[in-house]
Amino acid sequence: MPSLAALVKAYDVRGVVPDQWDEDVARALGAAFAHVVGVDDLDAESGLRRVVVGHDMRASSPGLAQAFAQGVSSQGGDVTMIGLCSTDGLYYASGALDVPGAMFTASHNPAQYNGIKLCRAGARPVGQDTGLGEVRDLAERYLDEGLPRLGKSGTVGERDVLAGYAAHLRGLVDLSGIRPLRVVVDAGNGMGGFTVPAVLEQGAGLAALPLQIIPLYFELDGTFPNHEANPLEPANLVDLQRAVLQHRADIGLAFDGDADRCFVIDERGAAVSPSAVTALVAAREIAKERAAGRDPVVIHNLISSRAVPETILEAGGTPVRTRVGHSFIKAQMAAERAVFGGEHSAHYYFRDFWYADTGMLAAMHVLAALGEQDRPLSALTARYERYVASGEINSTVPDALERTAAVRAHFEAAGVAVDELDGTTLTLDQPDGRPQWWLNLRASNTEPLLRLNVEAADEATMTQVRDRALAIIRA
C-alpha cells in the first residue's frame, strides 16, 4: 500500500479522487480517527463518543463521508451525519454537540480534489502534532492489514443542524436594527449558496433582516462552472466587483468553496483587505469585551498588516502575534482566551464560536458595522488601510534557506530588525516607531517555494523593497 504522506497534510487531508484516495482510504481513516480521538474523548457509558460528519457539494463527498462513517462505526463509534454543510457549520455541530467531527471538503481546490478537516470535541483542531500523524499511521496499517474486528459496531444516524447554526450566529451579531443594505454575494457554486439563505435570509425559518441579498452562483456545483471558489485570487472576484457596481450595492461578499472564508468588496468595487476586516472586527469585539469589564486579547498572524496591532492597541486591547496557520492561531487563542483572531488569508476566529474560524460571522460583523452608521464601506474601512502591501508572492527556488540568507544579508546592512517567529521577518522602523517597511520570507512545507510578503508606508517604498528582494530571491 502506498504511503499516505502525500495525502495527509499538516492541517488536513487533501488529494485527488480517485488517484490519491478513494472510499477504502476514507474508511480506513475513519477507523483510525475513532481510535485516535477515543484516547481523550471517552463517554462513560458507550466508550467512544459520537462523531459528527458533514460534507460539501463535490460529487465525491457523499460517498467518502459515508465510507468514513462506516470506518468509525466499525470501531464502535456512533456517527451523526449532518449532510451538506459549510466547514464552519461542521464546527458548529462539533461545538454545540461537544463531539469530534469530520468535514469532507477540498475548500477552494479544483473539482477533482477532496479532503477532510478533522476536529476533536468542541471544534478543537486536529493537525500533524495533535493527532493527524497518528491517524495517518493507523490508516496505513489498516489498509495493509484490514480493520480491527470488534464485537459491537456503532450506529449511523442523521441530524439537521442548519437551523441551529443560523440561530447561533444570529445570536452573536444582531442585524435586525441596521439600516437597509443591498448585498451582492458570490458563493462560487460552493457552500455559501447553502448557508447564506439560512443565515442572512429566511431559509432556516428566522425573521427577515433589512438585507436585500443579490445572489451570484448559489447553485451547488462541485465542478465550479463559473470560476474557482477561491476569492484569494483577484480573477475570481471580477464577477462580484462588476455586480456590486451594476446593482449599486452597499457591499459585496465572496465565499470560498466550503464557505469558511469570506472576502469583502466595497461599494466602489474595490477589495477590502482581510487585514482591514480583521482590524474592524477586532475593534468591535474589543468594545464589547471592555463594556463587560474584561481585558480583551486579539490574535493576529505575522503576515497581517501592522494596522491590525495598531488598531487593537488604540481600541484598548492586547495584540498577540502568532505564526501563520490555523492550528497555531487556535492554540494561541485558547491559551490566551482571546476574543478574536484574524489571518491575512481571510480566516477569522471567534472565542464565542469555540475558537474556530467562520467567514459568515466575520461577514455579519462587517454588515453590522456598515449598517449601524451612514458612511459607505470605503469610508468606514479607510482608517484600517494604513499601509501598502505586496500580497503573497511565490518564487520557485532550489534552496529556500540560502535565498533567505541572501536577502537577510542584503537588508541587514540598512539596520533592519530581524525576527524568526515564522520564517524570517525584516523590519525597518520610522523614528516614531511605526514601520517604514517590513518583509517576511517563509519556505513552503510541501513545495520548493519561497513566499514573500512586503508592506510599507507608501507605494514607492513597497515597490522598491519588493523588487529588490525578488531580484535576490530569483537571481
Side-chain angles (χ1 to χ4, degrees):
M1 176 67 202
S3 168
L4 298 183
L7 178 69
V8 181
K9 312 292 186 183
Y11 311 121
D12 60 13
V13 176
R14 194 80 60 95
V16 176
V17 178
D19 298 357
Q20 291 182 283
W21 70 304
D22 55 17
E23 293 180 9
D24 288 339
V25 174
R27 194 172 292 106
L29 288 166
F33 184 63
H35 283 280
V36 171
V37 301
V39 171
D40 64 359
D41 286 321
L42 293 175
D43 182 277
E45 294 182 1
S46 61
L48 178 68
R49 278 183 162 186
R50 286 175 297 154
V51 173
V52 61
V53 177
H55 64 80
D56 70 9
M57 67 292 144
R58 293 166 187 267
S60 61
S61 290
L64 292 170
Q66 191 63 44
F68 183 93
Q70 292 167 359
V72 172
S73 65
S74 74
Q75 305 308 300
D78 294 333
V79 183
T80 300
M81 304 292 288
I82 62 172
L84 282 168
C85 65
S86 58
T87 290
D88 64 333
L90 185 281
Y91 292 150
Y92 162 77
S94 173
L97 301 176
D98 196 29
V99 297
M103 173 66 188
F104 281 75
T105 181
S107 185
H108 60 276
N109 286 127
Q112 67 270 30
Y113 283 79
N114 216 320
I116 321 173
K117 295 181 179 180
L118 299 169
C119 62
R120 295 180 185 269
R124 289 179 290 136
V126 173
Q128 280 286 9
D129 299 329
T130 52
L132 192 54
E134 297 172 67
V135 170
R136 177 199 61 217
D137 295 343
L138 270 181
E140 285 183 339
R141 195 174 95 200
Y142 296 163
L143 286 166
D144 186 46
E145 303 174 0
L147 302 186
R149 294 181 178 274
L150 299 183
K152 180 182 178 183
S153 295
T155 61
V156 179
E158 297 181 358
R159 181 167 180 163
D160 186 353
V161 300
L162 182 62
Y165 160 79
H168 182 75
L169 293 180
R170 288 270 195 110
L172 295 176
V173 177
D174 184 6
L175 295 172
S176 62
I178 64 172
R179 64 183 169 94
L181 296 176
R182 184 174 296 176
V183 185
V184 182
V185 179
D186 185 343
N189 299 108
M191 292 311 301
F194 184 73
T195 56
V196 168
V199 178
L200 301 183
E201 297 183 287
Q202 295 176 274
L206 300 176
L209 296 173
L211 303 173
Q212 179 189 353
I213 303 296
I214 300 169
L216 286 182
Y217 314 137
F218 272 35
E219 304 79 17
L220 301 183
D221 189 338
T223 68
F224 307 111
N226 295 289
H227 60 70
E228 288 185 353
N230 181 14
L232 195 59
E233 291 293 332
N236 297 324
L237 294 174
V238 171
D239 290 353
L240 176 59
Q241 292 168 311
R242 184 184 300 117
V244 166
L245 295 175
Q246 176 187 344
H247 293 282
R248 297 185 178 181
D250 298 290
I251 185 174
L253 304 173
F255 291 91
D256 66 346
D258 60 336
D260 64 345
R261 288 188 297 158
C262 182
F263 290 73
V264 179
I265 301 298
D266 70 21
E267 82 287 350
R268 306 168 304 173
V272 179
S273 76
S275 285
V277 173
T278 296
L280 183 153
V281 177
R284 288 176 54 83
E285 290 283 47
I286 289 169
K288 183 175 68 176
E289 288 292 284
R290 285 172 59 84
R294 293 187 287 263
D295 295 324
V297 173
V298 175
I299 307 294
H300 65 95
N301 73 16
L302 81 171
I303 306 299
S304 301
S305 170
R306 293 300 162 87
V308 173
E310 290 173 4
T311 299
I312 294 166
L313 287 168
E314 291 162 4
T318 300
V320 174
R321 181 169 170 262
T322 187
R323 297 176 61 184
V324 173
H326 80 272
S327 63
F328 301 116
I329 289 264
K330 289 177 178 177
Q332 194 72 43
M333 285 191 69
E336 302 279 354
R337 286 199 54 79
V339 67
F340 174 64
E343 291 198 271
H344 70 297
S345 55
H347 283 284
Y348 306 107
Y349 307 80
F350 295 83
R351 183 194 63 206
D352 295 339
F353 200 76
W354 300 278
Y355 298 114
D357 45 323
T358 163
M360 184 67 76
L361 186 52
M364 293 171 72
H365 272 286
V366 177
L367 291 170
L370 178 59
E372 288 167 359
Q373 49 86 66
D374 295 328
R375 290 175 296 164
L377 185 59
S378 59
L380 179 65
T381 57
R383 62 175 296 193
Y384 307 119
E385 302 276 13
R386 304 177 182 183
Y387 301 98
V388 179
S390 66
E392 192 155 89
I393 304 169
N394 293 323
S395 301
T396 301
V397 295
D399 188 335
L401 291 177
E402 186 273 332
R403 289 294 85 199
T404 298
V407 173
R408 174 173 175 168
H410 174 81
F411 285 108
E412 273 189 313
V416 301
V418 181
D419 80 63
E420 295 179 326
L421 173 65
D422 191 356
T424 296
T425 302
L426 310 177
T427 304
L428 184 64
D429 284 335
Q430 303 179 68
D432 64 1
R434 300 177 66 210
Q436 177 67 28
W437 60 263
W438 62 266
L439 70 79
N440 174 268
L441 286 168
R442 291 163 36 252
S444 168
N445 292 322
T446 58
E447 302 171 272
L449 295 178
L450 190 57
R451 309 188 192 281
L452 170 69
N453 282 271
V454 181
E455 184 176 70
D458 56 72
E459 183 81 35
T461 302
M462 187 280 292
T463 301
Q464 181 183 29
V465 174
R466 178 199 65 196
D467 292 352
R468 187 64 195 129
L470 285 175
I472 298 169
I473 292 166
R474 297 174 178 177

